[in-house]
Amino acid sequence: MPAESNPNQGPSSPLFAAIYDPVTALVERTLLRPHREYLVANMDGTVLDLGAGTGAMFPYFDRIATDSTAFHAIEPDPHMRRQAEEKANALATPIRIESAPAEALPYDEGTFDVVIASMVFCTIPDIESAMSEMTRVLKPGGELRFFEHVIDDGWRARIQSALAPLWKRLAGGCHLTRQTGSRLAAAQSFDVVEIERLNLGVTPVRPFVRGRLRKRSVSPAE
């Protein structure tokens, strides 16, 4: 059957979704685990997982869930979303999953205390629209927490640029050359709580940035 598509996302790939968890299983248990733990540390309130993929963050939500937490997620790719729903159903913590893209979030203004972006900005077609939507649905003082791979320097960046077109086709629309860290740090509606670059991973998926931004109570324009 043909891959489903979304006007805000390229064609989905059932093969990529099927192999994603087996291929990343060892990396998830080792390299990525402390960074996913970082994303949920001291977290409370209503949380949105922005682009849940196959649900890699869900077990971490389950471990820190309390009576005062509530979890939502979006995942526009139908094949990824199906696996995420299976993971969510196997957990004790309810996680409500929507099919919406990051550029059109189906939530009211000021719904969330925390938005988590974990290796998702590389696949969002329109980052500016997604940032606007995240700003809208976060409460004043709410946090955007992120862990993203970005373009490297020197010869590694040249390799990433050369591989980028093919990688995008094979890896579910993933862009290897995004400068996500600097774009997030420059967001007008947020203050940087912390941000760091990590020489983590293997070229072409290296390095990473992780950090926290806090939504300002009043925007600079106001």
Side-chain angles (χ1 to χ4, degrees):
M1 62 181 293
E4 294 184 46
S5 62
N6 180 302
N8 290 307
Q9 181 175 325
S12 61
S13 169
L15 176 60
F16 181 69
I19 68 173
Y20 186 85
D21 280 357
V23 167
T24 62
L26 178 59
V27 174
E28 283 287 352
R29 291 196 302 269
T30 56
L31 289 178
L32 299 184
R33 182 173 182 175
H35 305 292
R36 295 200 184 278
E37 291 173 343
Y38 166 89
L39 293 174
V40 301
N42 302 313
M43 191 168 67
D44 198 13
T46 306
V47 180
L48 173 64
D49 189 356
L50 189 82
T54 62
M57 288 300 307
F58 292 178
Y60 297 88
F61 295 160
D62 192 50
R63 291 171 202 165
I64 59 94
T66 66
D67 291 341
S68 60
T69 53
F71 298 96
H72 298 254
I74 62 161
E75 179 46 59
D77 183 287
H79 310 290
M80 292 279 197
R81 187 171 64 251
R82 191 173 300 118
Q83 294 185 58
E85 289 168 345
E86 291 174 358
K87 286 182 184 173
N89 290 336
L91 298 173
T93 302
I95 302 173
R96 183 171 179 176
I97 306 171
E98 302 285 353
S99 62
E103 299 93 335
L105 298 176
Y107 308 105
D108 293 335
E109 182 176 341
T111 297
F112 297 101
D113 297 284
V114 180
V115 171
I116 287 180
S118 178
M119 295 189 290
V120 65
F121 272 100
C122 62
T123 62
I124 296 174
D126 186 347
I127 291 181
E128 297 307 319
S129 293
M131 286 296 298
S132 177
E133 279 291 88
M134 283 188 292
T135 302
R136 181 183 66 81
V137 302
L138 267 172
K139 298 175 182 177
E143 285 193 357
L144 168 60
R145 300 185 178 190
F146 58 91
F147 176 66
E148 299 285 341
H149 69 85
V150 295
I151 190 169
D152 212 327
D153 302 316
W155 63 268
R156 291 187 176 93
R158 291 192 290 273
I159 290 176
Q160 289 171 317
S161 296
L163 291 176
L166 178 61
W167 188 273
K168 181 181 177 183
R169 292 184 60 187
L170 297 179
C174 174
H175 294 74
L176 289 173
T177 57
R178 290 259 166 100
Q179 297 180 345
T180 304
S182 57
R183 294 184 76 168
L184 293 177
Q188 294 293 307
S189 297
F190 291 88
D191 292 316
V192 175
V193 178
E194 58 187 10
I195 184 168
E196 60 181 322
R197 173 175 161 139
L198 306 165
N199 288 324
L200 176 75
V202 178
T203 303
V205 186
R206 167 207 154 105
F208 283 74
V209 292
R210 76 176 193 182
R212 296 160 51 212
L213 306 181
R214 182 170 294 125
K215 182 180 173 181
R216 293 173 176 169
S217 299
V218 179
S219 69
E222 297 174 347

